[in-house]
Amino acid sequence: MNNRIAVVPGSFDPPTLGHLDVIRRAAALYDELHVLVVHNPGKKAMLPIAQRLTLLEQSIAEADIAGRVIVASWSVGLLVDYAQDVDAGVLVKGIRSQIDVAYETPMAIVNRHLADIETVFLLPDPSHALVSSSLVRQVAGLGGDVSPFVPAPVARFLDTGVRGN
Ligand code: PNS
């Protein structure tokens, strides 16, 4: 496995400014970055996977992120199977708080056990510390303005796509 190739996995339902910040930081650290939309069976989805892919691609393009970034999805097996398919040696996760550390640590240990793959935790800018996809889903679903929390393409889509106006 190649430690210059990394995967940033997540539900991205929807992508937030915090996600984009982690993607930008990771893209600067690795030669090739795979941003991977993974179905999380533990969460009730708002957006279909294809829509999340489109929004991620548009957001990454608009943010003018330097580096080789590939957007893909994975729903047929373990995350580490995808990592092995693309020869990635690193998983990257954003950590906002101790709650994220507690949530991510068991997954990192399991992924290392499964495939001897390392997980690297990156700290997003503190301005994104309180942003989560679940809050964005709730605010958007109730008709609130989510534009301070998400990339412009996501805000545009949620304004029309979810609220239907
Ligand atoms: O954005 P999320 O929902 O916190 O991301 C969690 C995700 C999708 C990365 C995690 O659920 C995952 O890795 N799922 C893939 C299935 C898998 O490989 N599970 C075993 C290792 S945790």
Side-chain angles (χ1 to χ4, degrees):
M1 287 201 283
N2 184 338
N3 286 341
R4 302 300 313 150
I5 304 177
V7 180
V8 181
S11 299
F12 301 108
D13 185 32
T16 66
L17 288 176
H19 291 135
L20 216 58
D21 188 47
V22 170
I23 291 165
R24 180 185 284 103
R25 289 170 199 284
L29 288 173
Y30 296 96
D31 294 340
E32 183 177 303
L33 189 70
H34 294 253
V35 179
L36 191 68
V37 178
V38 186
H39 172 64
N40 184 340
K43 292 181 178 171
K44 188 174 163 352
M46 174 177 72
L47 302 176
I49 296 227
Q51 187 62 55
R52 298 181 225 168
L53 285 171
T54 302
L55 292 174
L56 269 172
E57 278 161 3
Q58 291 173 346
S59 303
I60 289 166
E62 262 200 31
D64 207 17
I65 288 173
R68 182 166 157 70
V69 180
I70 295 148
V71 178
S73 66
W74 187 246
S75 53
V76 292
L78 292 168
L79 169 60
V80 294
D81 293 339
Y82 177 89
Q84 283 174 328
D85 277 3
V86 298
D87 200 29
V90 179
L91 303 174
V92 173
K93 298 288 189 85
I95 294 290
R96 290 161 301 186
S97 69
Q98 290 300 323
I99 296 169
D100 284 347
V101 176
Y103 173 68
E104 295 292 348
T105 300
M107 291 198 274
I109 299 295
V110 165
N111 285 324
R112 195 163 64 189
H113 173 78
L114 287 171
D116 201 20
I117 190 165
E118 297 294 348
T119 298
V120 169
F121 291 158
L122 288 185
L123 302 176
D125 188 276
S127 61
H128 303 305
L130 300 176
V131 180
S132 69
S133 292
S134 59
L135 271 179
V136 169
R137 285 197 296 276
Q138 194 176 103
V139 172
L142 295 170
D145 175 21
V146 293
S147 58
F149 312 120
V150 296
V154 178
R156 280 196 296 272
F157 173 79
L158 291 180
D159 204 34
T160 52
V162 170
R163 290 165 58 185
N165 56 12

PDB file of all heavy atoms in Angstrom, residues 17-41:
ATOM      1  N   LEU A  17     -18.867  22.721   5.163  1.00  0.00           N
ATOM      2  CA  LEU A  17     -17.604  23.476   5.071  1.00  0.00           C
ATOM      3  C   LEU A  17     -16.508  22.785   5.880  1.00  0.00           C
ATOM      4  O   LEU A  17     -15.326  22.889   5.550  1.00  0.00           O
ATOM      5  CB  LEU A  17     -17.817  24.913   5.574  1.00  0.00           C
ATOM      6  CG  LEU A  17     -18.637  25.820   4.648  1.00  0.00           C
ATOM      7  CD1 LEU A  17     -18.852  27.180   5.305  1.00  0.00           C
ATOM      8  CD2 LEU A  17     -17.948  25.976   3.296  1.00  0.00           C
ATOM      9  N   GLY A  18     -16.889  22.087   6.954  1.00  0.00           N
ATOM     10  CA  GLY A  18     -15.901  21.337   7.736  1.00  0.00           C
ATOM     11  C   GLY A  18     -15.289  20.213   6.905  1.00  0.00           C
ATOM     12  O   GLY A  18     -14.065  20.011   6.910  1.00  0.00           O
ATOM     13  N   HIS A  19     -16.137  19.493   6.160  1.00  0.00           N
ATOM     14  CA  HIS A  19     -15.615  18.451   5.263  1.00  0.00           C
ATOM     15  C   HIS A  19     -14.635  19.046   4.255  1.00  0.00           C
ATOM     16  O   HIS A  19     -13.554  18.504   4.010  1.00  0.00           O
ATOM     17  CB  HIS A  19     -16.760  17.791   4.474  1.00  0.00           C
ATOM     18  CG  HIS A  19     -17.688  16.943   5.278  1.00  0.00           C
ATOM     19  ND1 HIS A  19     -19.050  17.002   5.145  1.00  0.00           N
ATOM     20  CD2 HIS A  19     -17.439  15.992   6.223  1.00  0.00           C
ATOM     21  CE1 HIS A  19     -19.613  16.131   5.965  1.00  0.00           C
ATOM     22  NE2 HIS A  19     -18.657  15.504   6.639  1.00  0.00           N
ATOM     23  N   LEU A  20     -15.051  20.168   3.666  1.00  0.00           N
ATOM     24  CA  LEU A  20     -14.226  20.778   2.615  1.00  0.00           C
ATOM     25  C   LEU A  20     -12.868  21.222   3.169  1.00  0.00           C
ATOM     26  O   LEU A  20     -11.843  21.125   2.493  1.00  0.00           O
ATOM     27  CB  LEU A  20     -14.980  21.968   2.008  1.00  0.00           C
ATOM     28  CG  LEU A  20     -14.781  22.157   0.519  1.00  0.00           C
ATOM     29  CD1 LEU A  20     -15.199  20.926  -0.251  1.00  0.00           C
ATOM     30  CD2 LEU A  20     -15.544  23.366   0.031  1.00  0.00           C
ATOM     31  N   ASP A  21     -12.880  21.696   4.399  1.00  0.00           N
ATOM     32  CA  ASP A  21     -11.646  22.130   5.050  1.00  0.00           C
ATOM     33  C   ASP A  21     -10.694  20.935   5.233  1.00  0.00           C
ATOM     34  O   ASP A  21      -9.484  21.031   4.964  1.00  0.00           O
ATOM     35  CB  ASP A  21     -12.008  22.762   6.406  1.00  0.00           C
ATOM     36  CG  ASP A  21     -10.822  23.409   7.076  1.00  0.00           C
ATOM     37  OD1 ASP A  21     -10.095  24.158   6.412  1.00  0.00           O
ATOM     38  OD2 ASP A  21     -10.608  23.146   8.271  1.00  0.00           O
ATOM     39  N   VAL A  22     -11.248  19.805   5.657  1.00  0.00           N
ATOM     40  CA  VAL A  22     -10.420  18.600   5.833  1.00  0.00           C
ATOM     41  C   VAL A  22      -9.906  18.117   4.478  1.00  0.00           C
ATOM     42  O   VAL A  22      -8.736  17.725   4.340  1.00  0.00           O
ATOM     43  CB  VAL A  22     -11.223  17.492   6.565  1.00  0.00           C
ATOM     44  CG1 VAL A  22     -10.476  16.160   6.531  1.00  0.00           C
ATOM     45  CG2 VAL A  22     -11.492  17.916   8.009  1.00  0.00           C
ATOM     46  N   ILE A  23     -10.772  18.157   3.460  1.00  0.00           N
ATOM     47  CA  ILE A  23     -10.356  17.727   2.116  1.00  0.00           C
ATOM     48  C   ILE A  23      -9.212  18.613   1.609  1.00  0.00           C
ATOM     49  O   ILE A  23      -8.220  18.111   1.075  1.00  0.00           O
ATOM     50  CB  ILE A  23     -11.569  17.759   1.151  1.00  0.00           C
ATOM     51  CG1 ILE A  23     -12.569  16.665   1.531  1.00  0.00           C
ATOM     52  CG2 ILE A  23     -11.119  17.613  -0.301  1.00  0.00           C
ATOM     53  CD1 ILE A  23     -13.941  16.822   0.891  1.00  0.00           C
ATOM     54  N   ARG A  24      -9.322  19.923   1.831  1.00  0.00           N
ATOM     55  CA  ARG A  24      -8.267  20.834   1.378  1.00  0.00           C
ATOM     56  C   ARG A  24      -6.941  20.529   2.079  1.00  0.00           C
ATOM     57  O   ARG A  24      -5.882  20.455   1.446  1.00  0.00           O
ATOM     58  CB  ARG A  24      -8.657  22.287   1.631  1.00  0.00           C
ATOM     59  CG  ARG A  24      -7.559  23.262   1.172  1.00  0.00           C
ATOM     60  CD  ARG A  24      -7.838  24.707   1.502  1.00  0.00           C
ATOM     61  NE  ARG A  24      -8.834  25.293   0.615  1.00  0.00           N
ATOM     62  CZ  ARG A  24     -10.101  25.516   0.925  1.00  0.00           C
ATOM     63  NH1 ARG A  24     -10.544  25.207   2.136  1.00  0.00           N
ATOM     64  NH2 ARG A  24     -10.927  26.039   0.069  1.00  0.00           N
ATOM     65  N   ARG A  25      -7.011  20.324   3.384  1.00  0.00           N
ATOM     66  CA  ARG A  25      -5.784  20.040   4.147  1.00  0.00           C
ATOM     67  C   ARG A  25      -5.172  18.705   3.718  1.00  0.00           C
ATOM     68  O   ARG A  25      -3.950  18.571   3.570  1.00  0.00           O
ATOM     69  CB  ARG A  25      -6.082  20.023   5.651  1.00  0.00           C
ATOM     70  CG  ARG A  25      -6.367  21.388   6.195  1.00  0.00           C
ATOM     71  CD  ARG A  25      -6.902  21.371   7.622  1.00  0.00           C
ATOM     72  NE  ARG A  25      -7.563  22.643   7.889  1.00  0.00           N
ATOM     73  CZ  ARG A  25      -6.934  23.781   8.133  1.00  0.00           C
ATOM     74  NH1 ARG A  25      -5.616  23.789   8.227  1.00  0.00           N
ATOM     75  NH2 ARG A  25      -7.582  24.900   8.319  1.00  0.00           N
ATOM     76  N   ALA A  26      -6.018  17.696   3.520  1.00  0.00           N
ATOM     77  CA  ALA A  26      -5.505  16.378   3.141  1.00  0.00           C
ATOM     78  C   ALA A  26      -4.926  16.405   1.725  1.00  0.00           C
ATOM     79  O   ALA A  26      -3.895  15.778   1.454  1.00  0.00           O
ATOM     80  CB  ALA A  26      -6.626  15.340   3.256  1.00  0.00           C
ATOM     81  N   ALA A  27      -5.583  17.148   0.829  1.00  0.00           N
ATOM     82  CA  ALA A  27      -5.096  17.224  -0.561  1.00  0.00           C
ATOM     83  C   ALA A  27      -3.693  17.827  -0.611  1.00  0.00           C
ATOM     84  O   ALA A  27      -2.898  17.508  -1.492  1.00  0.00           O
ATOM     85  CB  ALA A  27      -6.064  18.039  -1.413  1.00  0.00           C
ATOM     86  N   ALA A  28      -3.409  18.721   0.353  1.00  0.00           N
ATOM     87  CA  ALA A  28      -2.078  19.347   0.390  1.00  0.00           C
ATOM     88  C   ALA A  28      -1.025  18.394   0.955  1.00  0.00           C
ATOM     89  O   ALA A  28       0.179  18.606   0.750  1.00  0.00           O
ATOM     90  CB  ALA A  28      -2.139  20.622   1.235  1.00  0.00           C
ATOM     91  N   LEU A  29      -1.455  17.363   1.660  1.00  0.00           N
ATOM     92  CA  LEU A  29      -0.502  16.456   2.314  1.00  0.00           C
ATOM     93  C   LEU A  29      -0.168  15.218   1.481  1.00  0.00           C
ATOM     94  O   LEU A  29       0.903  14.642   1.641  1.00  0.00           O
ATOM     95  CB  LEU A  29      -1.074  15.978   3.659  1.00  0.00           C
ATOM     96  CG  LEU A  29      -1.130  17.009   4.789  1.00  0.00           C
ATOM     97  CD1 LEU A  29      -1.876  16.421   5.991  1.00  0.00           C
ATOM     98  CD2 LEU A  29       0.271  17.435   5.186  1.00  0.00           C
ATOM     99  N   TYR A  30      -1.116  14.790   0.630  1.00  0.00           N
ATOM    100  CA  TYR A  30      -0.937  13.524  -0.078  1.00  0.00           C
ATOM    101  C   TYR A  30      -0.858  13.753  -1.592  1.00  0.00           C
ATOM    102  O   TYR A  30      -1.356  14.755  -2.096  1.00  0.00           O
ATOM    103  CB  TYR A  30      -2.086  12.559   0.272  1.00  0.00           C
ATOM    104  CG  TYR A  30      -2.059  12.203   1.745  1.00  0.00           C
ATOM    105  CD1 TYR A  30      -2.858  12.883   2.656  1.00  0.00           C
ATOM    106  CD2 TYR A  30      -1.174  11.241   2.224  1.00  0.00           C
ATOM    107  CE1 TYR A  30      -2.800  12.591   4.008  1.00  0.00           C
ATOM    108  CE2 TYR A  30      -1.111  10.942   3.579  1.00  0.00           C
ATOM    109  CZ  TYR A  30      -1.915  11.618   4.465  1.00  0.00           C
ATOM    110  OH  TYR A  30      -1.834  11.343   5.810  1.00  0.00           O
ATOM    111  N   ASP A  31      -0.263  12.804  -2.301  1.00  0.00           N
ATOM    112  CA  ASP A  31      -0.125  12.929  -3.755  1.00  0.00           C
ATOM    113  C   ASP A  31      -1.461  12.692  -4.455  1.00  0.00           C
ATOM    114  O   ASP A  31      -1.721  13.230  -5.530  1.00  0.00           O
ATOM    115  CB  ASP A  31       0.886  11.898  -4.287  1.00  0.00           C
ATOM    116  CG  ASP A  31       2.288  12.175  -3.784  1.00  0.00           C
ATOM    117  OD1 ASP A  31       2.543  13.318  -3.360  1.00  0.00           O
ATOM    118  OD2 ASP A  31       3.112  11.246  -3.784  1.00  0.00           O
ATOM    119  N   GLU A  32      -2.278  11.821  -3.846  1.00  0.00           N
ATOM    120  CA  GLU A  32      -3.571  11.474  -4.448  1.00  0.00           C
ATOM    121  C   GLU A  32      -4.564  11.297  -3.320  1.00  0.00           C
ATOM    122  O   GLU A  32      -4.262  10.603  -2.338  1.00  0.00           O
ATOM    123  CB  GLU A  32      -3.411  10.178  -5.248  1.00  0.00           C
ATOM    124  CG  GLU A  32      -4.639   9.735  -5.979  1.00  0.00           C
ATOM    125  CD  GLU A  32      -4.356   8.472  -6.810  1.00  0.00           C
ATOM    126  OE1 GLU A  32      -3.451   8.488  -7.670  1.00  0.00           O
ATOM    127  OE2 GLU A  32      -5.042   7.465  -6.564  1.00  0.00           O
ATOM    128  N   LEU A  33      -5.721  11.934  -3.459  1.00  0.00           N
ATOM    129  CA  LEU A  33      -6.730  11.881  -2.400  1.00  0.00           C
ATOM    130  C   LEU A  33      -8.051  11.385  -2.977  1.00  0.00           C
ATOM    131  O   LEU A  33      -8.553  11.944  -3.952  1.00  0.00           O
ATOM    132  CB  LEU A  33      -6.921  13.281  -1.807  1.00  0.00           C
ATOM    133  CG  LEU A  33      -7.787  13.322  -0.543  1.00  0.00           C
ATOM    134  CD1 LEU A  33      -7.061  12.689   0.624  1.00  0.00           C
ATOM    135  CD2 LEU A  33      -8.179  14.763  -0.222  1.00  0.00           C
ATOM    136  N   HIS A  34      -8.593  10.344  -2.351  1.00  0.00           N
ATOM    137  CA  HIS A  34      -9.905   9.829  -2.752  1.00  0.00           C
ATOM    138  C   HIS A  34     -10.929  10.287  -1.723  1.00  0.00           C
ATOM    139  O   HIS A  34     -10.820   9.935  -0.541  1.00  0.00           O
ATOM    140  CB  HIS A  34      -9.884   8.300  -2.805  1.00  0.00           C
ATOM    141  CG  HIS A  34      -8.986   7.766  -3.870  1.00  0.00           C
ATOM    142  ND1 HIS A  34      -9.464   7.189  -5.030  1.00  0.00           N
ATOM    143  CD2 HIS A  34      -7.624   7.745  -3.965  1.00  0.00           C
ATOM    144  CE1 HIS A  34      -8.439   6.845  -5.791  1.00  0.00           C
ATOM    145  NE2 HIS A  34      -7.308   7.160  -5.169  1.00  0.00           N
ATOM    146  N   VAL A  35     -11.877  11.083  -2.161  1.00  0.00           N
ATOM    147  CA  VAL A  35     -12.982  11.490  -1.283  1.00  0.00           C
ATOM    148  C   VAL A  35     -14.108  10.491  -1.545  1.00  0.00           C
ATOM    149  O   VAL A  35     -14.651  10.428  -2.657  1.00  0.00           O
ATOM    150  CB  VAL A  35     -13.430  12.930  -1.588  1.00  0.00           C
ATOM    151  CG1 VAL A  35     -14.596  13.318  -0.682  1.00  0.00           C
ATOM    152  CG2 VAL A  35     -12.258  13.897  -1.412  1.00  0.00           C
ATOM    153  N   LEU A  36     -14.407   9.679  -0.533  1.00  0.00           N
ATOM    154  CA  LEU A  36     -15.248   8.506  -0.753  1.00  0.00           C
ATOM    155  C   LEU A  36     -16.567   8.626  -0.004  1.00  0.00           C
ATOM    156  O   LEU A  36     -16.600   8.677   1.230  1.00  0.00           O
ATOM    157  CB  LEU A  36     -14.494   7.253  -0.276  1.00  0.00           C
ATOM    158  CG  LEU A  36     -15.136   5.932  -0.673  1.00  0.00           C
ATOM    159  CD1 LEU A  36     -15.043   5.736  -2.190  1.00  0.00           C
ATOM    160  CD2 LEU A  36     -14.465   4.765   0.054  1.00  0.00           C
ATOM    161  N   VAL A  37     -17.659   8.637  -0.769  1.00  0.00           N
ATOM    162  CA  VAL A  37     -18.994   8.639  -0.158  1.00  0.00           C
ATOM    163  C   VAL A  37     -19.351   7.192   0.176  1.00  0.00           C
ATOM    164  O   VAL A  37     -19.430   6.340  -0.712  1.00  0.00           O
ATOM    165  CB  VAL A  37     -20.044   9.229  -1.129  1.00  0.00           C
ATOM    166  CG1 VAL A  37     -21.426   9.183  -0.484  1.00  0.00           C
ATOM    167  CG2 VAL A  37     -19.675  10.655  -1.514  1.00  0.00           C
ATOM    168  N   VAL A  38     -19.523   6.947   1.472  1.00  0.00           N
ATOM    169  CA  VAL A  38     -19.808   5.584   1.936  1.00  0.00           C
ATOM    170  C   VAL A  38     -21.195   5.571   2.559  1.00  0.00           C
ATOM    171  O   VAL A  38     -21.536   6.463   3.353  1.00  0.00           O
ATOM    172  CB  VAL A  38     -18.769   5.133   2.989  1.00  0.00           C
ATOM    173  CG1 VAL A  38     -18.992   3.676   3.361  1.00  0.00           C
ATOM    174  CG2 VAL A  38     -17.355   5.324   2.460  1.00  0.00           C
ATOM    175  N   HIS A  39     -21.976   4.571   2.205  1.00  0.00           N
ATOM    176  CA  HIS A  39     -23.294   4.421   2.832  1.00  0.00           C
ATOM    177  C   HIS A  39     -23.103   3.984   4.274  1.00  0.00           C
ATOM    178  O   HIS A  39     -22.409   3.005   4.544  1.00  0.00           O
ATOM    179  CB  HIS A  39     -24.115   3.383   2.064  1.00  0.00           C
ATOM    180  CG  HIS A  39     -25.398   3.037   2.753  1.00  0.00           C
ATOM    181  ND1 HIS A  39     -26.398   3.970   2.939  1.00  0.00           N
ATOM    182  CD2 HIS A  39     -25.822   1.887   3.325  1.00  0.00           C
ATOM    183  CE1 HIS A  39     -27.400   3.393   3.583  1.00  0.00           C
ATOM    184  NE2 HIS A  39     -27.074   2.140   3.830  1.00  0.00           N
ATOM    185  N   ASN A  40     -23.683   4.752   5.202  1.00  0.00           N
ATOM    186  CA  ASN A  40     -23.605   4.386   6.621  1.00  0.00           C
ATOM    187  C   ASN A  40     -24.968   3.836   7.026  1.00  0.00           C
ATOM    188  O   ASN A  40     -25.938   4.589   7.158  1.00  0.00           O
ATOM    189  CB  ASN A  40     -23.249   5.628   7.450  1.00  0.00           C
ATOM    190  CG  ASN A  40     -23.058   5.291   8.916  1.00  0.00           C
ATOM    191  OD1 ASN A  40     -23.536   4.260   9.385  1.00  0.00           O
ATOM    192  ND2 ASN A  40     -22.369   6.155   9.637  1.00  0.00           N
ATOM    193  N   PRO A  41     -25.060   2.506   7.230  1.00  0.00           N
ATOM    194  CA  PRO A  41     -26.372   1.900   7.507  1.00  0.00           C
ATOM    195  C   PRO A  41     -26.971   2.372   8.830  1.00  0.00           C
ATOM    196  O   PRO A  41     -28.161   2.246   9.060  1.00  0.00           O
ATOM    197  CB  PRO A  41     -26.077   0.387   7.545  1.00  0.00           C
ATOM    198  CG  PRO A  41     -24.608   0.271   7.709  1.00  0.00           C
ATOM    199  CD  PRO A  41     -23.977   1.537   7.209  1.00  0.00           C
TER     200      PRO A  41
END
